[in-house]
Amino acid sequence: LVPVTGMRKKEFCSWVLSDTVKSVRIPVEKLIRTGWIIETNEPDISIHLHPLISEVVLDELKPDEEACATFLQNLEKKMKETAQDYSAAKPYIPVALHTGEFLYRKDSLSAMDKLDGIASFFEIAALYSDQLRFQTKILCVRESFLPPDYPALATSYNNIGVLYGRIGDYNKELEFHLKALSICKNSSRTDYSRLIVSYIDVSRSYGNLGNFKSELDFSKKAFCIYEKSELSDYNQLVAIYRRSAAAYIDLGDYNNALNFYKKALEIQKN
């Protein structure tokens, strides 16, 4: 569990040992005294595996990839629950890459779900090319096993669209967000929250391409869905208002942009 590259002792003790692996009962201080873990004070108090142990674990014993995948998923969940800074997980990126490559070679839905579950570790290091390769494999496997209107496919299309946006390929970004939107619109059981997010994503994609009229149109459609759904998720309403404001700015309509930013701010204040 101790990352080879080291991490802050406080974080390791609080959210790695406490809940993720309940069977661990050996105090970190004892592991330090016996030499399994090395403690350093610069620039912050951090802990590392002893170099010789690191070499044996990585080069000889080989990590249990299935266990690593579960551990990384639990670690990511813990970070979300405690609102931890994702940069704290940087020491685990080498483990995530190793585990990702292992899961990439499999062709099962369960393996793809695990691979999808550790995607945030690649985002932390801005490893978008690796993340795009993994997400593309996830999509291929899901398309092979799932019906074309299955929600998990919309998730995959959305994830890939986001990645294309981050690397600046806005045509591809729009293409995949539209595919995600199509599934959300035609699903037998409408998930209004997911549908709103999909409209917002498409609006942003059109904005990135300079099609500001469509950018505004899709933000308006997101608002119409919100009103129709009678949802009480005010965070989504704030997101819609901010997206509309961005569209009005792109169109040069600063008065309307200001009005929508004010609406978003009023909700956030309350």
Side-chain angles (χ1 to χ4, degrees), residues 153-192:
L153 287 177
T155 300
S156 283
Y157 287 134
N158 177 71
N159 291 340
I160 292 174
V162 169
L163 287 169
Y164 274 121
R166 284 178 179 163
I167 63 176
D169 191 337
Y170 300 129
N171 286 304
K172 282 287 187 182
E173 176 192 25
L174 177 61
E175 175 188 339
F176 279 90
H177 281 319
L178 285 172
K179 287 181 178 180
L181 176 60
S182 177
I183 292 175
C184 292
K185 287 169 62 177
N186 297 317
S187 176
S188 57
R189 296 182 62 182
T190 303
D191 183 337
Y192 287 109

Side-chain angles (χ1 to χ4, degrees), residues 174-220:
L174 177 61
E175 175 188 339
F176 279 90
H177 281 319
L178 285 172
K179 287 181 178 180
L181 176 60
S182 177
I183 292 175
C184 292
K185 287 169 62 177
N186 297 317
S187 176
S188 57
R189 296 182 62 182
T190 303
D191 183 337
Y192 287 109
S193 182
R194 181 188 287 262
L195 184 58
I196 289 168
V197 170
S198 205
Y199 273 113
I200 290 173
D201 287 336
V202 171
S203 171
R204 183 182 299 107
S205 298
Y206 274 120
N208 288 336
L209 285 168
N211 188 339
F212 304 137
K213 184 179 182 300
S214 292
E215 177 187 17
L216 180 60
D217 287 344
F218 276 85
S219 69
K220 287 180 176 179

